[in-house]
Amino acid sequence: MESKKIILTGDRPTGKLHLGHYVGSLKRRVELQNSGEFDKIFIEIADAQALTDNFNNVDKVRNNIVEVALDYLACGIDPNKSTIFIQSQIPELCELTFYYLNLVTLSRLQRNPTIKDELKLRNFEGSIPTGFLTYPISQAADITLFDAEVIPVGDDQLPMIEQTREIVRSFNNLYKPIFREPKEMLPDNNTCMRLPGIDGKNKMSKSLGNCIYLSDEPEVIEKKIMSMYTDPNHLKVEDPGNVKDNAVFIYLDAFCKDEHFEKYLPEYKNLDELKAHYERGGLGDVKIKRFLNNIIQEELKPIRERRKELEANIDEVYKILEDGTNKAREYASKKIIEVRDAIGINYFNK
Ligand code: TRP
């Protein structure tokens, strides 16, 4: 079995990436990449998985591949250290998925909590496309074909990792122990795990229209921040305010450092002092929103500028995707031979 430290993670290319992706996973990936602790890092653009609920909307998926790649590179994913690849271009993934399908029952798939939620959301409950229902099995192939043991994901992906471990155990018992059980790596704090949208109610999500995108222009970011949901009972500046379910304070929890106070709001030393004042009353929403805007602008400026440079050299971005995909394919084509050997369907090997 593989002994290297290998990370694999991925995203469905169904839209540009936003602040929720950034604090929930992108920032962490870049840190892991630069830590030098891992031998290999695979980042998959999961277009085939995206097709399982967008099979009639292929353009959306195709067009967003490069958008997601731009977001990755702009955030600091370095193609010399991480391998970015496109799922559909690795046919070995389909082969492995087909063998895994034998190891999972229909009722097991129907019990997957993330799948249950998604079926409801997409009104698929009456007639479930089998491709959609079985995508957790295909995701298990994504993870195991690359011998990944560390999977940085959000908590909605825990059922997928659990399903992968079950498949690995079945396969290793039934055939030969060639796979290892992956472990999830969750964001290190709760705020980052579920950043709310600017509506303050739901998780930031493209379909709800409550996102700040990494590629948003400064004026757009400012407008979104100034319109953010705060505490509906904090009507007058003097009123005591609630910081707990207040999106502005949740964002400050995720982004604000003590240095930001020195720079943008020197009347306070740190976030605890600001929160205490808000809770006491006498601190207006506009002031905290302006402060948050300064912080987010500072964080997103270099990302947006880098993204623009990359957009001007789009051929290079496609070349990075092609090289990454070739590299991933090379790994996959070796591993799939091990798989066939383990199952005993290696008819023409010497
Ligand atoms: N299901 C993941 C999502 O919706 C994307 C994904 C596909 C993935 N394959 C993966 C994540 C493998 C981690 C590992 O975000």
Side-chain angles (χ1 to χ4, degrees), residues 12 49 52-53 112-125 132-133 135-136 139 156-157 160:
R12 297 182 195 180
Q49 184 177 118
T52 64
D53 61 342
N112 183 314
T114 299
I115 289 285
K116 276 194 195 162
D117 291 347
E118 289 177 319
L119 288 174
K120 243 186 243 144
L121 215 68
R122 288 164 178 70
N123 294 320
F124 273 163
E125 286 156 297
F132 186 80
L133 188 67
Y135 91 71
Q139 189 161 330
D156 60 318
Q157 296 297 305
M160 309 306 161

Side-chain angles (χ1 to χ4, degrees), residues 234-247:
H234 186 243
L235 298 174
K236 290 191 245 106
V237 174
E238 312 83 81
D239 292 340
N242 172 7
V243 298
K244 243 189 95 230
D245 308 305
N246 184 323

